[in-house]
Amino acid sequence: MATYISLVQLRDRNISNVQELATVWGELKVETEEFDATLEDTYAILGDYDFVVVFDAAGRDEAFRVALAMERHGLDMQTMEAIPTEDFADLVTDI
């Protein structure tokens, strides 16, 4: 499983009440499992983005499906693959 991090903005989403946002994360957790992925963490953040979403997916195709499912819920996202710093250290030892 690979780890992916999505930076989420709510600019174009029409939110009638804040409680609606809480239900979105529950729906997304169920949907990600359908795509052989796991929604690990979600955080509300301050700054240019509104949320950070961390999920694990079996591969790139599954990560695309998760990202598209989130977009379908009106979340404007930027998704990136992440690797643990220990793995990064192993990658750069030969350079």
Side-chain angles (χ1 to χ4, degrees):
M1 293 283 253
T3 300
Y4 295 85
I5 297 173
S6 297
L7 302 173
V8 180
Q9 292 179 320
L10 300 174
R11 287 187 191 166
D12 297 332
R13 185 178 168 99
N14 184 15
I15 300 171
S16 56
N17 62 50
V18 179
Q19 290 79 11
E20 177 185 345
L21 286 174
T23 62
V24 167
W25 303 121
E27 293 171 11
L28 286 172
K29 186 171 182 124
V30 171
E31 286 184 43
T32 56
E33 292 171 358
E34 295 172 8
F35 302 126
D36 199 15
T38 305
L39 185 62
E40 296 295 333
D41 288 306
T42 57
Y43 300 93
I45 59 174
L46 298 173
D48 292 337
Y49 293 90
D50 301 306
F51 295 94
V52 170
V53 176
V54 180
F55 65 95
D56 290 336
R60 185 189 62 214
D61 292 349
E62 291 79 10
F64 265 101
R65 288 182 182 108
V66 170
L68 291 171
M70 290 184 189
E71 292 271 352
R72 190 174 57 226
H73 283 274
L75 304 176
D76 185 21
M77 303 174 29
Q78 178 182 357
T79 302
M80 300 156 279
E81 185 174 0
I83 61 170
T85 52
E86 297 84 23
D87 294 347
F88 178 75
D90 291 340
L91 289 173
V92 300
T93 56
D94 295 336
I95 298 175

